[in-house]
Amino acid sequence: MSKTKTMITSVAIAFFILFAGCSAFAGGSGPAEETTALTQTPEPTPEVSDTPTPVPTETESKSVATEEPETKTESATEEELSEAEKLEKFDENMQRLYRSDENRSAETDVFPENDSYHMTIQMRDTTNRTKTVDDRLNPLWKYYVIVDDYNDNDDSYSERDHTYIPDTVNITFVTENGGVFETTYIKYNWAYKYYTDEWSLRVFMGMYGSTTKEGPAYHENGR
């Protein structure tokens, strides 16, 4: 995930962009022997004593074919997951990334009916410009890491593909007091274009930054 490293090291760019599947047979006996008795007479007439020759009998042994019912073994294939189940898998992955990131958390909701995902992220310090920019970019990096993992065909998530990734991730940034600071969103198509090198990092981040809208708490913090 070299691109992820590239993005992380490119945070500085953000400051300028964010906002602008058969029959068998048994044989009988053989032919009988023939016995001949001879009597000498003036006119020798051979007398033939015949021993009846048994007629060979054939015993036909018919094998009865017993047909066993054909058993069909259907391979048990895993049923295709529903859209909601796929997005739940995505959410598990996203939450795992946040748990591994100290001092960050996100409340999430999945919306399979329109292939979207919502994140509510509390900012750490809206009075600190560096932290504010970093907090805004963080969900973009995490989303891209998942896009990379689900598309690179390695062993990390070999059973998953792009159909597990929501098309749109809507993000609401809130202040320490829960006020809406900013709203923004990320599109899968943008992350994929950067993944395939069709877009540069600058273009990817610029598209993300262009979706930002200020919330009421933004002005309350004097921004």
Side-chain angles (χ1 to χ4, degrees):
M1 293 182 283
S2 59
K3 286 187 177 179
T4 303
K5 295 180 181 178
T6 302
M7 291 196 301
I8 295 175
T9 58
S10 304
V11 171
I13 302 175
F15 290 95
F16 301 98
I17 299 172
L18 273 176
F19 308 106
C22 74
S23 298
F25 295 91
S29 59
E33 294 181 357
E34 197 175 84
T35 305
T36 306
L38 298 178
T39 305
Q40 292 183 352
T41 59
E43 295 179 1
T45 302
E47 187 176 307
V48 179
S49 177
D50 293 330
T51 301
T53 303
V55 179
T57 59
E58 295 180 351
T59 303
E60 184 176 350
S61 176
K62 294 183 179 180
S63 60
V64 180
T66 303
E67 293 186 1
E68 295 183 1
E70 186 177 331
T71 303
K72 293 183 179 180
T73 304
E74 297 182 358
S75 58
T77 55
E78 187 178 351
E79 189 177 347
E80 180 73 12
L81 296 179
S82 67
E83 182 71 18
E85 290 169 323
K86 288 183 177 181
L87 290 187
E88 288 294 341
K89 294 287 186 182
F90 170 87
D91 183 50
E92 289 172 8
N93 196 185
M94 180 65 79
Q95 290 293 348
R96 188 177 301 113
L97 290 176
Y98 268 95
R99 286 194 299 270
S100 65
D101 194 345
E102 190 176 0
N103 298 323
R104 294 185 191 277
S105 64
E107 293 182 9
T108 59
D109 292 290
V110 297
F111 298 94
E113 63 275 6
N114 61 359
D115 196 19
S116 67
Y117 184 76
H118 185 263
M119 304 175 70
T120 300
I121 300 172
Q122 182 173 316
M123 305 185 78
R124 295 171 298 172
D125 183 0
T126 53
T127 64
N128 184 304
R129 188 176 181 83
T130 300
K131 287 184 178 181
T132 297
V133 172
D134 187 50
D135 286 347
R136 288 165 169 167
L137 289 173
N138 191 260
L140 180 69
W141 303 151
K142 286 179 167 56
Y143 181 73
Y144 179 75
V145 165
I146 297 177
V147 171
D148 186 291
D149 283 343
Y150 288 15
N151 279 285
D152 63 9
N153 297 317
D154 64 4
D155 295 330
S156 55
Y157 291 98
S158 56
E159 78 283 5
R160 303 186 191 180
D161 54 32
H162 70 278
T163 61
Y164 285 75
I165 305 174
D167 177 70
T168 306
V169 174
N170 295 295
I171 305 168
T172 299
F173 295 104
V174 298
T175 65
E176 301 88 330
N177 298 324
V180 177
F181 186 74
E182 280 184 346
T183 60
T184 188
Y185 63 89
I186 312 168
K187 299 291 287 184
Y188 172 77
N189 191 43
W190 304 346
Y192 187 72
K193 284 185 176 182
Y194 175 60
Y195 172 79
T196 59
D197 294 323
E198 184 176 345
W199 280 5
S200 66
L201 177 59
R202 179 180 292 274
V203 174
F204 179 37
M205 292 174 63
M207 286 298 294
Y208 173 64
S210 69
T211 67
T212 300
K213 291 184 178 180
E214 299 172 358
Y218 184 94
H219 302 288
E220 291 172 4
N221 284 269
R223 309 301 294 222

